[in-house]
Amino acid sequence: MLICKVVKPLVSTNRIPDFEHKHLQVVLDGSTQKVAVDAVGCIPGDWVICVGSSAAREAAGSKSYPSDLTIVGIIDHWDPDAGKASVKSETIAVSESAANTEIAPSSQSAAPISAAQSPALGSNGGGKI
Amino acid sequence: MEIMQVAGSLVCTQRVPGLAHMNLRVLRTSKGKLSVAVDPVGAAVGNWVFTASGSAARFACGNPEVHTDLTIGGIIDFWEPDG
């Protein structure tokens, strides 16, 4: 899944009927602009999680919904440049906890990724790598 | 889904039956990369459109049996290339 920033809504009145009345948002993935179906109702300036491939279709509505990129979540706190820093500090935390299992949980490391502690990242919170 | 501009239409009489009788358009991204897309909305040359790619493209053109991996989803009302 991608972390993108919502730029602005995309207005397209002349479009195929299969899109029904879902909102489309222009999102910035790094430096490339993409269009995503908005399934959660976000506003310009939000940092969001976008999903692609067949999951995008189901997240947007049904199995046959013609979307290949759908916004599935709005991140509570996300600091773009800290994103890189926290990845470094996190690897250090993980190597420490590998050496000594009872170390303090790594949640004190910088920029906690607090999108409701998504399960994929939540596991290292327990320090049992 | 990406944003592209219609560069022209493509006539291709000899093609696989899987493409059915869909109109084909040549599209150009803002970086200049060309691609061919199925056009169910009838976009004109110069229109900025957004496209669906991959398996979503097959559902976008109305008939999941069409063998396409890029379909025009709609014509954008107002778009500035660098905007």
Side-chain angles (χ1 to χ4, degrees), chain B residues 6-10 23-27 35-39 42-45 72:
Chain B
V6 179
S9 23
L10 193 69
N23 292 326
L24 301 178
R25 295 281 185 268
V26 179
L27 301 182
S35 51
V36 178
V38 166
D39 177 11
V45 177
I72 292 177

Side-chain angles (χ1 to χ4, degrees), chain B residues 46-63:
Chain B
N47 281 148
W48 284 92
V49 296
F50 66 95
T51 61
S53 63
S55 54
R58 302 185 65 169
F59 293 103
C61 64
N63 167 11

